[in-house]
């Protein structure tokens, strides 16, 4: 599908650079997060696609450790926000404070002002505080008292979330879930990985010896390379066909938004580049569809009663929507 009229020139050198940096980051993260290569790859994919990542699972499986390890692997500004019921929106965005000496208001940035923001247990904060993230995540800016402050690139929110049925949690609003490019689940480690964790992580904090292997400037360059990855018209139509199918499904009361289509294509471009290609394949889209789309969908009452969640419904749609043939 790559060698068609209108395809951009060969960019193999840039792609090779990207693969090299990605391998450094991946190896560094996997020094701490053992036995979860797919989760690590998803986190890096979202970073290069300029998205935000939602990590959902029960407590104690390494959600926050994944976030902190990715942040530590990149020499960039990092802030951590612990979301609690009493957290205020101004704690996230910042606040204007009156300076008695200058007789003027000064802006004091909140926790969102960093390249990588780790939002721990995001669904333990009230909906009002959660909504403070909407402008930050979509427009990459903060508006306080009528003044807009831009957020520096790269900017990524890695948020952890406990299952909504656990005590003291608030469900994320649909608008906020839609701003997360992908959702991943850590899951329990396999026995070998858990034994390795017991051996290596009990005597010292594994983050203590972790050094950055990339910086913000490199990540900005890689993001630019990903943006230039070629997606054939047939692949773009396939993305739209998948999201359209979710909107028409009787098993879903809320389908994927146009933003979801954009996120899916961006993530597919990042996945293609990480695989050493400067063009997107339909398989890139298929393999990412569940992680990018499932958390945005709402099942119908009938689907819920039948025990079919959004992931199951989405897998059925993936089987029904025709995959583009090579060269078309």
């Amino acid at each position: 599908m790559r060698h068609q009229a209108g395809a951009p020139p060969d960019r193999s050198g840039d792609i090779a650079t990207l693969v090299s940096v990605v391998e450094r980051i991946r190896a560094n993260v996997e020094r701490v997060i053992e036995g979860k290569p797919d989760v690590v790859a998803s986190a890096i994919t979202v970073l290069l696609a300029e998205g935000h990542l939602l990590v959902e699972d029960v407590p104690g499986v390494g959600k926050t450790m994944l976030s902190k390890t990715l942040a530590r692997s990149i020499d960039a500004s990092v802030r951590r926000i612990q979301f609690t019921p009493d957290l205020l929106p101004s704690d996230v965005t910042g606040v204007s404070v009156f300076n008695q000496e200058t007789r003027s208001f000064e802006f004091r940035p909140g926790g969102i002002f960093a390249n990588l923001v780790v939002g721990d247990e995001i669904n333990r904060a009230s909906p009002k505080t959660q909504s403070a993230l909407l402008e930050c995540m979509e427009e990459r800016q903060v508006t306080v008292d009528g003044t807009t402050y831009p957020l520096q690139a790269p900017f990524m929110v890695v948020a952890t979330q406990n299952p909504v049925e656990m005590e003291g949690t608030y469900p994320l609003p649909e608008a906020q879930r839609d701003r997360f490019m992908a959702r991943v689940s850590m899951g329990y480690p396999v026995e070998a990985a858990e034994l390795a964790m017991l051996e290596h992580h009990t005597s010292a904090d594994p983050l203590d010896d972790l050094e950055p292997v990339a910086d913000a400037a490199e990540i900005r360059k890689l993001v630019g390379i990903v943006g230039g990855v070629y997606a054939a018209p047939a692949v773009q139509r396939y993305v739209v066909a998948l999201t359209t199918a979710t909107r028409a499904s009787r098993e879903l009361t809320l389908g994927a938004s146009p933003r979801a289509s954009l996120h899916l294509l961006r993530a597919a471009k990042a996945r293609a580049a990480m695989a050493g290609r400067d063009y997107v394949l339909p398989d890139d889209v298929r393999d990412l569809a569940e992680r990018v789309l499932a958390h945005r969908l709402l099942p119908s009452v009938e689907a819920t009663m039948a025990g079919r969640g959004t992931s199951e419904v989405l897998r059925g749609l993936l089987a029904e929507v025709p995959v583009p043939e090579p060269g078309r």
Side-chain angles (χ1 to χ4, degrees):
M1 300 186 69
R2 170 68 176 84
H3 302 290
Q4 298 183 21
D10 179 66
R11 304 171 69 243
S12 55
D14 288 343
I15 296 297
T17 299
L18 181 144
V19 170
S20 175
V21 176
V22 165
E23 285 307 312
R24 293 205 309 265
I25 298 174
R26 190 201 309 266
N28 211 44
V29 174
E30 289 182 350
R31 288 174 55 193
V32 178
I33 307 298
E34 302 182 60
K36 299 293 179 182
D38 291 342
V39 174
V40 173
S42 295
I44 300 173
T45 299
V46 172
L47 172 66
L48 299 185
E50 293 189 288
H52 307 290
L53 182 67
L54 181 62
V55 187
E56 183 181 72
D57 219 317
V58 296
V61 294
K63 301 187 302 295
T64 304
M65 185 63 75
L66 170 67
S67 309
K68 294 170 70 174
T69 304
L70 179 63
R72 185 71 66 90
S73 298
I74 300 168
D75 188 10
S77 58
V78 179
R79 298 287 292 273
R80 181 177 183 271
I81 305 174
Q82 178 64 55
F83 283 79
T84 56
D86 60 348
L87 187 74
L88 299 175
S90 58
D91 296 328
V92 176
T93 59
V95 64
S96 294
V97 178
F98 187 73
N99 188 319
Q100 294 283 1
E101 295 182 0
T102 62
R103 311 295 296 176
S104 62
F105 283 93
E106 295 179 352
F107 178 66
R108 294 186 180 176
I112 202 69
F113 281 84
N115 295 122
L116 283 170
V117 178
V118 179
D120 206 10
E121 296 186 304
I122 188 174
N123 60 334
R124 289 200 181 278
S126 67
K128 181 178 181 180
T129 299
Q130 290 178 15
S131 66
L133 290 170
L134 297 180
E135 180 186 13
C136 311
M137 294 174 66
E138 179 64 17
E139 301 173 51
R140 299 171 187 269
Q141 65 182 31
V142 172
T143 302
V144 177
D145 294 335
T147 303
T148 298
Y149 305 90
L151 298 170
Q152 297 298 315
F155 172 66
M156 178 182 182
V157 175
V158 183
T160 69
Q161 173 177 259
N162 295 320
V164 294
E165 61 269 15
M166 299 194 71
E167 185 177 353
T169 61
Y170 300 84
L172 294 184
E174 288 81 358
Q176 186 166 344
R177 289 205 310 271
D178 197 42
R179 281 163 167 77
F180 284 102
M181 177 172 283
R183 180 188 65 183
V184 296
S185 177
M186 296 293 293
Y188 290 110
V190 297
E191 183 178 351
E194 192 163 2
L195 286 172
M197 180 192 71
L198 294 180
E199 180 179 352
H200 300 140
H201 296 186
T202 52
S203 58
D205 188 338
L207 291 176
D208 290 343
D209 298 327
L210 206 65
E211 298 291 335
V213 294
D215 57 30
E218 275 187 299
I219 299 301
R220 285 193 292 268
K221 180 180 178 182
L222 300 190
V223 167
I225 294 172
V226 167
V229 170
Y230 178 65
V235 172
Q236 297 182 38
R237 288 194 294 270
Y238 181 51
V239 170
V240 173
L242 285 175
T243 54
T244 301
T246 66
R247 300 165 197 162
S249 173
R250 294 183 177 179
E251 293 187 285
L252 298 172
T253 58
L254 178 66
S257 66
R259 183 191 287 121
S261 301
L262 183 60
H263 283 183
L264 182 55
L265 185 60
R266 285 180 178 171
K269 286 186 174 186
R271 186 182 188 275
M274 290 168 59
R277 287 180 276 106
D278 62 349
Y279 57 94
V280 180
L281 293 175
D283 283 348
D284 296 319
V285 176
R286 284 180 59 86
D287 291 346
L288 289 166
E290 185 175 335
R291 276 166 280 181
V292 174
L293 300 180
H295 64 285
R296 309 166 191 264
L297 311 176
L298 288 178
S300 65
V301 174
E302 293 78 11
T304 301
M305 292 181 65
R308 286 173 57 80
T310 56
S311 294
E312 290 77 13
V313 174
L314 188 56
R315 291 183 201 125
L317 296 177
L318 283 168
E320 295 174 3
V321 176
V323 180
E325 297 179 6
R328 298 190 64 184

